[in-house]
Amino acid sequence: MRKPIIAGNWKMFKLISDAVATATALKPLVANANHCEVVIAPPFTALKAVADRLEGSNIHVSAQDLAPEIKHGAHTGEVCGDMIKDAGCSHVIIGHSERRAMYGDTDAVVNRKIRAALHFGLTPIVCIGETLDERDAGNAEKVVATQLAQSLAELTASEVIRIVLAYEPVWAIGTGRTATPEQAQQMHAFIRQWIAQQFDATAASDLRILYGGSVKPENISDLMRAADIDGALVGGASLEAESFSRIVNYEW
Ligand code: PEP
């Protein structure tokens, strides 16, 4: 059985005080959510304060990125995986489409970051997904397969099981335009099949694949009813404790 994950990506929002206040408000609202794992990803500056506040709770803390290097050194502006762990994180988002589009995170970089995260015992939440042009040209599955092949290059099946994938069609992120449960299911099934072919059946059946792209309290239940959707990566609707808790506590 794959335990669902509901993860909130706070992107470049919230000063430390606001992040801690939101985490504090969220804690009682999701305290009984045993049906899923709850993860929030504050900005780097707030990680430690939020993790301290959530200690002993059922909410995991994630970074939004990490350095591809595993040794400390002269890498100005980068944050190493063990520093992220030291701040209280268990997860890290890798290859978000905003990083791919704005900060040069290629699939090769994503591959190095996944290896770094696994090296430090962090759970990578690896984002993949096509643009609208790519979908309209009928290339969505091809694009996703290429991202998977390059991002997961030379990983073993047992390493792949430690990863969480997030299918996030770029055209659905922050646009209010959600993929239909059928569109999302189709791609999730394709991804699972791809994993079975490239790795093995156990990796494919154990791997959790989240959907991301304008998930809200109003559409989460329909998405979660799809057989191959194992949770959600939520941007905008995770910024308020109340709306994020309604997503976590979806009807199932
Ligand atoms: C995201 O940033 O990963 C995301 C899915 O954003 P939103 O929920 O706002 O579309």
Side-chain angles (χ1 to χ4, degrees), residues 117-192:
L118 293 175
H119 175 84
F120 290 114
L122 290 160
T123 299
I125 301 174
V126 180
C127 303
I128 49 175
E130 80 287 357
T131 64
L132 190 56
D133 284 352
E134 290 163 342
R135 174 160 283 261
D136 287 346
N139 291 332
E141 289 185 354
K142 199 169 136 205
V143 167
V144 167
T146 303
Q147 289 174 336
L148 286 169
Q150 294 178 3
S151 303
L152 306 183
E154 289 173 36
L155 294 181
T156 63
S158 58
E159 286 172 325
V160 167
I161 292 173
R162 293 166 55 201
I163 292 172
V164 174
L165 287 177
Y167 168 58
E168 297 209 308
V170 178
W171 46 272
I173 297 180
T175 58
R177 182 179 164 189
T178 323
T180 63
E182 293 73 27
Q183 282 173 321
Q185 166 57 27
Q186 195 177 348
M187 185 60 88
H188 282 228
F190 170 78
I191 293 168
R192 205 175 296 288

Side-chain angles (χ1 to χ4, degrees), residues 18-74:
D18 186 15
V20 171
T22 307
T24 306
L26 185 64
K27 209 162 132 173
L29 297 176
V30 301
N32 297 323
N34 301 318
H35 59 287
C36 69
E37 289 173 18
V38 185
V39 180
I40 54 172
F44 276 124
T45 48
L47 288 178
K48 171 88 174 101
V50 167
D52 284 351
R53 178 58 58 98
L54 294 177
E55 208 180 326
S57 79
N58 61 336
I59 307 175
H60 302 273
V61 181
S62 174
Q64 298 173 18
D65 190 28
L66 86 170
E69 287 78 21
I70 57 171
K71 282 202 178 132
H72 294 183

